[in-house]
Amino acid sequence: MSLWRRATSLRFRLLAATLAALALALLLAGVLLSGLFRDHVMQQFEAALTQQLDQVTARLEFDAAGQPLIDPQTLSDPRWQKPYSGLYWQLDRTTVDGLSRAGVLRSRSLWDTSLPLLADELADGAVHVHQGKGPLDAPLLILERKVSIAEQPDARWRIVVAADMQEIAGAVDSFNGVMAASLVVLLVLLVLAALAQVAVGLSPLRAMQRALADVHEGRTQRLQGRFPAEVQPLIDDFNDVLDRNTEVVTRARTQAGNLAHALKTPLSVLDQAAAGTLAAQGSELARLVKEQVGLSRRHIDWHLARARVAATQRLPGQRTEVGPVLAGLVRVMERVHAERSIAITVQADDAPLFFAGEEQDLQEMLGNLLDNACKWARSRVTIAVEPLAGALPLQLQVHIEDDGPGIDAAHLALVGARGVRLDESVPGTGLGLAIVQDLAGLYGGELTLRSGGGGLRATLRLPATTAQQAADSV
């Protein structure tokens, strides 16, 4: 999984966790605020109803016969006089022997009904608060107070006031609606803030992903760009690793070159000695030594090429323009095969293509294919260079086709084998196509051969980078 995909996944996890925490926090806040508001409204409602209870209690009088009286005109709230207005009072009487009479006196608002009361015992002057159903099954908040008078020791009086709670429910519902809308708006704003925070927090990872893509696609050899102080140590460490890797590969290549020089020098001495002996005496041993020295040289070159590409094909920042390399090889082949008058034609788009590898390796592969085509061509060799459509990562194709005799289909599988030559009459070592196959494979490419139309068509597929990508690294 790429760094950006990991960062994207991390972003989604951060957003999910943040949104879950925000939603839970706002839900708890909404429940808490709704409960606090309802409690506050209930306290205010109960306090107002307690004042009404005090007013009714203050208006309670008894006549000479001991009958209770409450003058409705002395009560200030007009709702006492309106039937089923939602504000009610009544007076109950209980004797010491347990007999009770509800509604001895009651407000006009109760009309012909009475308030339901609990069968409980109240201390004198104490206020009891409970809820119940009133006229038209309306929910009521009921306050009760028991009073007694010295002139009537055998009787207890219970003063009751009640008020409809639908107004409270409406106020709470209205508050909850406004609060819910406000919390939704707040949640949206917090989500936007979380998105901005996550985007800003992960922007260094996006920049790092682009820098890694530049390295991977050969536009740069090190991670470049401006990064926050928290990320810069990681970038520096990564660049140090790239530098050390390049240093190790360079050292290995130098040692390989030294080894090649150390081996080729004694081989050259043996070759010269064998050539002198062969010219002077025609010795069979000298001929054998010369043949084996040449074979050893070819094998050394082949194995060194494999070792060099195996060490370098994973290095970042490699890029070679195909056009100039191909033009140089064509000029060389035209001089080498000048006596045969072979026409070499190059077909390529105006936009340059870049091979994601070293120039020496590209020369090795194209040179072997072009030389092989020129050896077998009758009069014409055609070269076509094109990008491979739809390939990700980018790839290019080089088609080299000659008008020679071609190869039988049964022999095509044998051509790429190391040291195999189908025709000994043409100079060669049998290693050219094997080297091309090995080098292309090490770069993740492929060599395919197809015979038809009187010639051989070799198609070399290699990793590529575009001209725009190359320009970005300049």
Side-chain angles (χ1 to χ4, degrees):
M1 185 183 294
S2 67
L3 178 63
W4 174 237
R5 289 182 180 178
R6 292 177 185 273
T8 302
S9 177
L10 177 60
R11 178 181 64 182
F12 287 144
R13 290 199 298 269
L14 288 175
L15 283 177
T18 302
L19 293 181
L22 289 176
L24 180 60
L26 291 179
L27 178 62
L28 294 177
V31 172
L32 178 62
L33 290 176
S34 177
L36 290 176
F37 179 77
R38 189 178 186 283
D39 292 342
H40 174 73
V41 172
M42 284 294 296
Q43 290 175 1
Q44 295 296 321
F45 190 71
E46 183 179 337
L49 197 58
T50 301
Q51 292 180 354
Q52 299 285 13
L53 178 61
D54 293 340
Q55 182 181 195
V56 173
T57 303
R59 300 295 185 270
L60 176 61
E61 298 177 352
F62 293 90
D63 59 12
Q67 297 300 316
L69 297 173
I70 295 179
D71 186 2
Q73 302 301 322
T74 61
L75 300 177
S76 59
D77 199 318
R79 288 179 297 172
W80 300 118
Q81 307 300 322
K82 182 179 179 181
Y84 307 134
S85 64
L87 183 62
Y88 314 104
W89 67 265
Q90 77 178 26
L91 180 67
D92 297 346
R93 182 176 184 273
T94 303
T95 62
V96 294
D97 54 6
L99 296 177
S100 61
R101 179 185 173 189
V104 175
L105 296 175
R106 58 189 172 192
S107 64
R108 183 176 178 80
S109 56
L110 278 173
W111 200 244
D112 57 353
T113 62
S114 60
L115 297 174
L117 300 177
L118 298 176
D120 53 356
E121 290 293 333
L122 298 177
D124 289 345
V127 177
H128 182 210
V129 181
H130 63 90
Q131 296 182 14
K133 292 289 186 179
L136 306 178
D137 287 333
L140 299 179
L141 180 66
I142 302 173
L143 271 66
E144 307 175 27
R145 175 184 287 157
K146 188 175 73 171
V147 297
S148 59
I149 59 175
E151 292 79 3
Q152 299 182 16
D154 57 343
R156 298 291 184 270
W157 302 93
R158 179 179 292 188
I159 304 172
V160 183
V161 296
D164 195 338
M165 297 180 61
Q166 291 181 352
E167 293 183 1
I168 294 179
V172 172
D173 291 342
S174 177
F175 174 80
N176 288 340
V178 174
M179 181 182 64
S182 302
L183 291 180
V184 169
V185 174
L186 179 60
L187 179 61
V188 172
L189 295 177
L190 291 176
V191 168
L192 295 177
L195 287 172
Q197 182 179 12
V198 171
V200 172
L202 294 181
S203 59
L205 294 181
R206 289 197 295 271
M208 187 185 301
Q209 187 268 340
R210 290 191 295 268
L212 285 173
D214 291 340
V215 173
H216 179 71
E217 295 172 4
R219 294 194 289 267
T220 61
Q221 295 184 357
R222 306 174 85 249
L223 295 182
Q224 298 179 354
R226 300 182 62 182
F227 299 93
E230 294 79 6
V231 180
Q232 190 61 47
L234 176 62
I235 301 299
D236 295 338
D237 291 342
F238 199 95
N239 283 332
D240 290 341
V241 171
L242 292 176
D243 293 339
R244 284 196 296 270
N245 188 38
T246 302
E247 181 182 352
V248 169
V249 170
T250 302
R251 189 183 304 117
R253 294 181 64 186
T254 302
Q255 293 175 352
N258 294 337
L259 176 61
H261 180 73
L263 291 175
K264 287 183 177 181
T265 298
L267 288 176
S268 298
V269 174
L270 290 175
D271 184 55
Q272 292 174 2
T277 303
L278 185 61
Q281 303 175 6
S283 170
E284 183 65 25
L285 177 60
R287 184 178 295 105
L288 178 61
V289 170
K290 184 174 180 61
E291 178 183 344
Q292 293 302 314
V293 166
L295 182 61
S296 299
R297 281 178 172 174
R298 290 192 295 271
H299 281 283
I300 289 173
D301 292 339
W302 182 63
H303 284 290
L304 286 177
R306 282 179 56 89
R308 185 187 68 251
V309 177
T312 61
Q313 58 96 18
R314 294 296 182 184
L315 286 179
Q318 299 180 105
R319 183 183 65 260
T320 301
E321 188 174 353
V322 178
V325 172
L326 198 53
L329 291 173
V330 169
R331 288 193 298 269
V332 172
M333 293 302 161
E334 286 176 344
R335 289 196 297 267
V336 172
H337 301 279
E339 73 281 357
R340 300 179 57 203
S341 301
I342 296 176
I344 302 177
T345 305
V346 179
Q347 301 172 356
D349 296 337
D350 294 335
L353 286 177
F354 291 83
F355 162 58
E358 288 200 337
E359 179 177 353
Q360 183 177 353
D361 300 326
L362 183 62
Q363 289 177 343
E364 184 79 19
M365 291 182 283
L366 295 182
N368 276 294
L369 292 178
L370 189 55
D371 183 53
N372 188 72
C374 290
K375 287 178 182 178
W376 292 97
R378 294 188 178 95
S379 61
R380 176 181 53 83
V381 173
T382 303
I383 306 171
V385 184
E386 62 180 3
L388 184 60
L392 288 175
L394 298 177
Q395 293 182 334
L396 62 87
Q397 291 186 132
V398 181
H399 307 284
I400 300 179
E401 185 174 4
D402 63 72
D403 60 349
I407 302 176
D408 294 338
H411 294 152
L412 280 177
L414 301 176
V415 174
R418 179 160 56 99
V420 173
R421 298 177 59 198
L422 299 181
D423 191 343
E424 298 291 340
S425 63
V426 178
T429 64
L431 294 175
L433 293 180
I435 291 177
V436 175
Q437 283 185 332
D438 285 343
L439 294 182
L442 289 172
Y443 275 105
E446 183 184 17
L447 172 66
T448 57
L449 302 176
R450 182 173 61 85
S451 184
L456 181 67
R457 179 184 177 93
T459 299
L460 182 62
R461 178 175 55 83
L462 296 171
T465 182
T466 64
Q468 181 61 41
Q469 292 171 339
D472 292 341
S473 65
V474 176

